[in-house]
Structure formats: structure tokens, C-alpha cells
Amino acid sequence: MMNFKSIAKSNSAAPSTFRIRHLAALSLTAMLVISGCGNNTATKSASTSSPAATPAATAEASSIPAADKLNIKVSFYPMYEFTKSITGDLANVEVLVPPGVEPHDWEPTAKDMADISDADVLVYNGAGLEGWAQQVVDGADGGALITIEASKGLQITEGTEHEHEHSHEEEAAGEADHDHDHHDESTAEGSGHGHSHNDSAAGEADHDHDHGHDHDHDHGGLDPHVWLDPVMAIQEVKTIEAALSAAFPGNAAAFHANSDAYIAKLEKLDQDFRAGLQDTKRKDFITQHAAFGYLAQQYGLTQVPIAGLSPEQEPSAAQMAKIVEFAKANKVTSIFFETLVSSSVADTIAQEIGAKTAVLNPIEGLTEEDAARNLDYLGLMRQNLEALIQALNE
């Protein structure tokens, strides 16, 4: 049988030897110790894993020996589904952030960093979500590890920490004439159903790591939540596929075919969001943190976040009062909270105005309940669509 991994690696621009990997592991681990990373709530789980209960992660009848498969690490769940949908059975894909853990503040342990350096590929979202990623990229430069930033090439916007401080009229006017510049390229490709696999290959083939935006723990004010916009999710899948195909051209045909199939599902998701949200009675929604800005902009909605980009950010009393005032003035009947973090703030506001609470999932990780129900990114996004349609038509 043909050895997939040896063929793939012979076509890669980066040499793969034990010595390079060993030195890379020592270098990355040393960087981690010096920078003091790993002192967070997720350090109890140092090993990587695959979302075992999701459809994309169920065991497949494999015709490829495990030793011959690519070893790919991904930062958090959406990157897992996007990547696994492209590679299929040609790679073992494992998630670094453990299930049920919020990824914004998670940092890898020394063991995680060693596992990353032993991998063939690291896929991460970028745009500042993974504050630890830049040191991995810097440490891997010139080595065997291939790093893929899924959001590369997308127009990342600054997150609005206090969108609700603007009047409702100002928000509506802003949405009415917004030209959606940061989606021009994505929308053209996502709605055209004719996606070229060479769009970003040239930019990714050389694994350029000059990203043009900061990667710190508070996102540097940038909004990283691009995966929640189906059109931008399509672009992330294309970026991952193009980079993998450039690095492992012997498997490019399979990657292309798998990517085509998954993008078709994302295009259908986009169509359903567009149809479902086009004629709702209202266009504004209150959510726990500012994770849905790209989704809102794509479909003509207005996100009114209680807190900022980080789900752990606590709003001040003045901010809470303004949200309550906005909700009463605009007869808001649903306050959205999210999985993985406490719903206490949303509960407090809902109780104050006599509204109900509902889940709008940022899909930053799977809960045990999600996994038990075999939910994946597509399923969770459809739940989000149903929740928005219901809340915006009350």
C-alpha cells in the first residue's frame, strides 16, 4: 500500500526530521515556561482530544494505517469540524481546547506545546482569539510544523465593546446604509456557489506569518468570531483547504472534493439564514457578549451585547441600566445567553424586564449535552437560526 504520510511530506516545503521536531519541541516548551503560560482553568486537561460524540468525529472504517495519516492539531471546535471535513480519513485531527472549556483565555500547557510541535499541522482561527498562537508560529518558522491561520485574508473588524450605548435609531440607520465592505469578497464567493480552490493558495503556500493584527489575550480590540457568519466560515474552509493542498499536493484532489461537499452545506446554511431572517418583525437582539457582530451584519441585524468581546467580562451597573432601558423601550422579550459561561447576567436583566432567556450559541466548544446529542457546527448554527427567528418575531 502506498504510504500517504511519506508521500505528503516529501512534497512539503518544510523538512521533517526527528532532530528538527525535537529542537522545535524544546524551543516551544522553553518559550512557554518563560512566558508563564498555562496558569488557567483548563490546565487540568493537558492532552488533546477529538469531539468523540460528534458525527464528524465518529470512528470511520479506515483503509489508511494510523501511522500514515497526517497529525493535525486544531485550536478549538469549529476549526476541528472545518479541518476534519476537508481531510476526511487522511488525517487524525485533535482539538487542543478541552470540551466544555471557554477558549478565549485557555492556554496550552508544556505538554500541549510539545504535542503541537510533534504535529504536522496546526490550524487555528486567528484574529487574536488564541493569544498563545503567535509564539507557536514564531517558534515554528523555518521548522517542520505547518501553521494555518483560518481567518487570514478576512477583513477583521474592531469589536464594539458597548454597542448598546448608541441609540436604537442610530443603530437602525447605521445598519440601513452599511455597505458590508468587510464581506465583499466573502459574499461574492459564498453566494456565487463557484468557489475556486486556488483563491488563497498562493498566499498560504509559503506559510507567511505576517498577519497584520495582534494576537493578545483580549484580542487587541479585534472581533475574532468570524466562524459564526456562514459566509465567512466558507472562506475559512477555503483557506484551510488551500493551505493543506499546497503543503500536501498528493492529496489535493481529495481535499478539494471534501471541501466542495462541506462548502455546499455551508452555502445551504447561508441561504437558510438569509431566508429566515429577511422579514422578521424586529432586527435587534440582546446577547450576553459581543460574539455575533459578523452574523448580525451579514443578515441585516443589530447585535446589542450586554458585555464586550470576552464572555467573562462583567458589565458595570451603568451598562446594565442602559441595557434594561433599551430592552424596555424596544419591548425586547428574549435575552440571549450562551453555553460554557454563567447566565447570571442575562437572568438578572430578563427578570428585571419580565423577559425570557434563550440560548444563542457562539460555538466556542461543545458541551457534554451537545456531544451526547451528536450536535456539530451545522446543527448548532441551525439551532441559533431557530432561536433568532423566534425571538425576532415575538
Side-chain angles (χ1 to χ4, degrees):
M1 177 178 176
M2 188 174 295
N3 187 308
F4 159 76
K5 195 167 184 179
S6 62
I7 292 175
K9 282 193 171 292
S10 70
N11 289 300
S12 173
S16 177
T17 65
F18 173 79
R19 179 173 179 79
I20 290 176
R21 288 205 180 281
H22 182 66
L23 291 175
L26 291 175
S27 174
L28 289 172
T29 304
M31 289 169 62
L32 177 63
V33 172
I34 292 172
S35 63
C37 291
N39 55 342
N40 58 82
T41 57
T43 55
K44 61 184 180 182
S45 178
S47 62
T48 58
S49 62
S50 297
T54 66
T58 53
E60 300 175 351
S62 174
S63 59
I64 301 175
D68 293 336
K69 296 183 180 183
L70 289 174
N71 176 12
I72 300 178
K73 297 292 188 287
V74 299
S75 58
F76 75 126
Y77 179 72
M79 297 301 103
Y80 170 85
E81 182 161 331
F82 295 171
T83 303
K84 188 64 177 175
S85 296
I86 294 165
T87 64
D89 200 36
L90 297 176
N92 290 317
V93 182
E94 295 184 327
V95 182
L96 289 165
V97 177
V101 174
E102 220 293 323
H104 285 255
D105 297 318
W106 179 87
E107 294 201 24
T109 64
K111 182 181 184 305
D112 293 325
M113 294 293 275
D115 288 343
I116 292 170
S117 69
D118 284 339
D120 299 302
V121 181
L122 169 67
V123 179
Y124 64 105
N125 182 75
L129 178 69
E130 304 95 340
W132 48 269
Q134 191 58 51
Q135 72 180 38
V136 176
V137 171
D138 292 342
D141 191 24
L145 178 67
I146 295 168
T147 60
I148 303 174
E149 182 179 21
S151 67
K152 186 173 183 179
L154 295 177
Q155 185 61 48
I156 304 302
T157 63
E158 288 191 8
T160 304
E161 296 292 328
H162 309 295
E163 292 181 35
H164 54 270
E165 293 182 2
H166 303 292
S167 70
H168 182 52
E169 292 77 15
E170 289 174 336
E171 289 172 337
E175 287 295 326
D177 62 3
H178 203 293
D179 60 7
H180 298 281
D181 282 346
H182 81 283
H183 287 302
D184 284 350
E185 178 184 357
S186 301
T187 303
E189 296 190 44
S191 61
H193 306 279
H195 38 277
S196 168
H197 296 286
N198 295 320
D199 290 345
S200 56
E204 290 293 338
D206 61 0
H207 309 293
D208 180 11
H209 304 302
D210 182 13
H211 301 302
H213 50 68
D214 295 331
H215 298 266
D216 54 17
H217 292 284
D218 62 1
H219 313 139
L222 299 176
D223 183 355
H225 301 90
V226 292
W227 65 90
L228 292 171
D229 172 355
V231 174
M232 299 187 89
I234 289 171
Q235 293 305 115
E236 290 205 294
V237 171
K238 289 182 178 182
T239 295
I240 297 168
E241 184 269 314
L244 288 174
S245 293
F248 307 102
N251 296 282
F255 294 158
H256 290 342
N258 293 341
S259 176
D260 279 344
Y262 188 67
I263 286 175
K265 296 177 182 179
L266 291 174
E267 289 173 339
K268 180 61 167 65
L269 181 68
D270 169 48
Q271 293 167 9
D272 291 344
F273 262 84
R274 208 166 296 282
L277 299 174
Q278 184 175 5
D279 298 317
T280 55
K281 294 179 181 179
R282 63 185 308 123
K283 296 297 181 182
D284 49 64
F285 61 96
I286 297 177
T287 187
Q288 189 159 319
H289 92 282
F292 298 91
Y294 296 109
L295 182 149
Q297 187 170 349
Q298 184 67 244
Y299 302 111
L301 305 179
T302 300
Q303 172 187 236
V304 184
I306 298 171
L309 291 170
S310 171
E312 302 298 336
Q313 180 179 341
E314 291 289 338
S316 68
Q319 291 164 2
M320 290 277 284
K322 288 183 178 181
I323 284 289
V324 169
E325 180 183 1
F326 174 90
K328 288 180 177 179
N330 293 281
K331 298 180 174 58
V332 175
T333 58
S334 295
I335 306 295
F336 286 114
F337 68 98
E338 64 191 63
T339 55
L340 303 186
V341 296
S342 171
S343 64
S344 60
V345 174
D347 291 337
T348 299
I349 293 176
Q351 185 175 8
E352 174 70 19
I353 66 173
K356 63 183 179 181
T357 58
V359 172
L360 198 60
N361 196 330
I363 317 183
E364 294 176 342
L366 295 181
T367 65
E368 290 183 3
E369 181 181 357
D370 294 334
R373 295 172 62 191
N374 286 339
L375 287 171
D376 58 6
Y377 170 86
L378 292 168
L380 292 170
M381 283 296 289
R382 292 196 175 279
Q383 286 189 349
N384 283 344
L385 174 58
E386 292 172 6
L388 283 169
I389 290 174
Q390 181 174 343
L392 297 176
N393 283 300
E394 291 176 338

